[in-house]
Amino acid sequence: MSDTEAQPVRISSEPVQLQALEPMLEKVRAAVGDVPALLAIAKEIGLTAPKPGEGNTAKLWELLASVTAVDVAAGRVLEPHLDAVAILAQADDAQAAVPATPEGAWGVFAAEGPGLKLEAKRDDAGSYVLNGSKPWCSLAAQLDGAVITAYTGDNSRAAFAVHLKDAGVSCETPEWTSRGLREIPSGTVHFDQVPATPVGDEGWYFKRPGFAWGGMGVAACWLGGAVAVARDFRTALAKAADNGREPDQIALASLGEADRIITSVTGYLAQAAERIDAGFTTDSPGAWSEALRVRGTVAAAVERVQTVVSQNLGPGPLAFNGTYGKRMADLSLYIRQHHAMRDDAQLGALTLKGDAGW
């Protein structure tokens, strides 16, 4: 829609530092809509991308936000692969029996659904096998492997590394009616005696240092989508002005509000990244509260930017501009990974217990 589609998103780096991302972003732009190509790019990026908590968390989030600003679905492909790479590296540090660097493209499947249960039990040889079903497994049929949570007891869950090309894995093709994220349907996957390698011990996945960090990485993707929408708005106003239609006060106020929101949120993410790199882990007091604040703040910002932009631009670009329409539909669906008031209720309960900085 504009000449800024491959422009990086800044969180804390200097603009000159972000220029190194531009060739990769051009590759992403050329691969929009081509999931195998996007997975290949994700694998390439995963070889060198920063991992959270190792001193360059803001650069990792800039990478995620920048890719998502090019195309929301591309960010939705990249983020789980980098999350899986980080999880396996953390497990390797914990001396788990998993490869530190996975081969191929990977995902992370930790969602639960009514009427579905995935269980991990030891077979006669003492090795774990998975049986049951897992919902919301994005791109499972096209991935090589995944970090998957499964029940090891009545209420206990653990994480396992699983190769998705195993004969016991069958992927449903969901009836994906949404216009958002059409190239990334999330269906149910069924497991029948599928070998699985423990990733950490029981409960490690939820207690590991990076559990809260992963949720913040998703928020960085959401931010990238909002930045792209705001850039679309700015470009539309500039083009209208070039054609003799100067923006009115409402349009200028809306653009100013979008600028204010994005500047505030990027500053918050930069601060959160600094804390993570300084040793702020899941075990730190207030860590999960901070993850909920980050996700909730970014989600609210995204929805507000979408609202003010769509109100100003009207139905025209939604109906006739494919790039803008796709971005808005993709982002609207992606942001619903945030649980809105239910996450705020969880944060409120923690705040009531005194888990707040004010």
Side-chain angles (χ1 to χ4, degrees), residues 109-113 117-120 134 148-160 199-207 211:
F109 303 149
E112 303 293 338
K117 189 174 184 179
L118 183 63
E119 295 182 308
K134 195 73 168 173
I148 301 176
T149 57
Y151 285 91
T152 56
D154 290 339
N155 294 304
S156 300
R157 282 190 292 166
F160 298 86
V199 179
D201 56 16
E202 189 172 284
W204 174 87
Y205 175 83
F206 301 100
K207 297 175 184 176
F211 182 65

Side-chain angles (χ1 to χ4, degrees), residues 26-43 67 70-78 105 139 142-143 181-185 326 330:
E26 289 291 348
K27 291 174 64 175
V28 172
R29 177 160 62 174
V32 169
D34 184 344
V35 171
L38 291 173
L39 287 171
I41 293 171
K43 288 187 288 185
V67 169
V70 174
D71 178 63
V72 175
R76 184 67 183 82
V77 170
L78 176 63
L139 296 178
Q142 299 187 59
L143 297 176
L181 298 175
R182 296 193 71 175
E183 60 269 62
I184 310 179
K326 179 181 188 301
D330 287 348

Side-chain angles (χ1 to χ4, degrees), residues 7 17 50 70 86 123 129 140 174 192 231 290 309 331:
Q7 179 183 336
Q17 295 174 305
V70 174
D123 61 14
V129 293
D192 183 10
R231 288 172 177 170
E290 186 70 351
V309 171
L331 187 56

Side-chain angles (χ1 to χ4, degrees), residues 279-353:
F280 190 64
T281 70
T282 299
D283 292 333
S284 303
W288 188 240
S289 292
E290 186 70 351
L292 289 169
R293 290 188 201 103
V294 166
R295 287 171 61 87
T297 298
V298 174
V302 170
E303 292 178 326
R304 181 57 186 166
V305 168
Q306 285 189 288
T307 295
V308 298
V309 171
S310 63
Q311 285 177 344
N312 275 271
L313 293 185
L318 286 171
F320 301 114
N321 188 301
T323 299
Y324 172 82
K326 179 181 188 301
R327 178 172 290 133
M328 292 292 271
D330 287 348
L331 187 56
S332 295
L333 182 56
Y334 196 4
I335 200 69
R336 289 280 55 85
Q337 284 191 2
H338 182 246
H339 301 137
M341 293 182 70
R342 288 178 175 82
D343 277 359
D344 276 348
Q346 187 181 161
L347 177 59
L350 293 170
T351 302
L352 189 62
K353 294 177 181 179

Side-chain angles (χ1 to χ4, degrees), residues 198-235:
V199 179
D201 56 16
E202 189 172 284
W204 174 87
Y205 175 83
F206 301 100
K207 297 175 184 176
R208 63 190 168 87
F211 182 65
W213 305 344
M216 296 185 204
V218 174
C221 291
W222 298 340
L223 171 65
V227 169
V229 170
R231 288 172 177 170
D232 288 339
F233 184 31
R234 182 178 62 190
T235 298

Side-chain angles (χ1 to χ4, degrees), residues 39 42-43 76-88 98-99 101-110 118 130 134 136-149 159-167 169 171 189 191 194-197 199:
L39 287 171
K43 288 187 288 185
R76 184 67 183 82
V77 170
L78 176 63
E79 185 279 325
H81 177 71
L82 294 189
D83 192 28
V85 170
I87 292 167
L88 294 176
V98 295
T101 303
E103 294 185 4
W106 280 54
V108 179
F109 303 149
L118 183 63
L130 300 185
K134 195 73 168 173
W136 295 103
C137 297
S138 301
L139 296 178
Q142 299 187 59
L143 297 176
D144 298 287
V147 175
I148 301 176
T149 57
F160 298 86
V162 179
H163 290 285
L164 296 174
K165 303 304 182 185
D166 186 273
V169 177
C171 306
V189 178
F191 298 84
V194 177
T197 303
V199 179

Side-chain angles (χ1 to χ4, degrees), residues 50-62 272-274 276-277:
K51 296 180 178 64
E54 296 186 356
N56 288 300
T57 301
K59 287 183 172 58
L60 168 64
W61 291 353
E62 285 172 338
E274 286 183 3
I276 288 171
D277 289 334

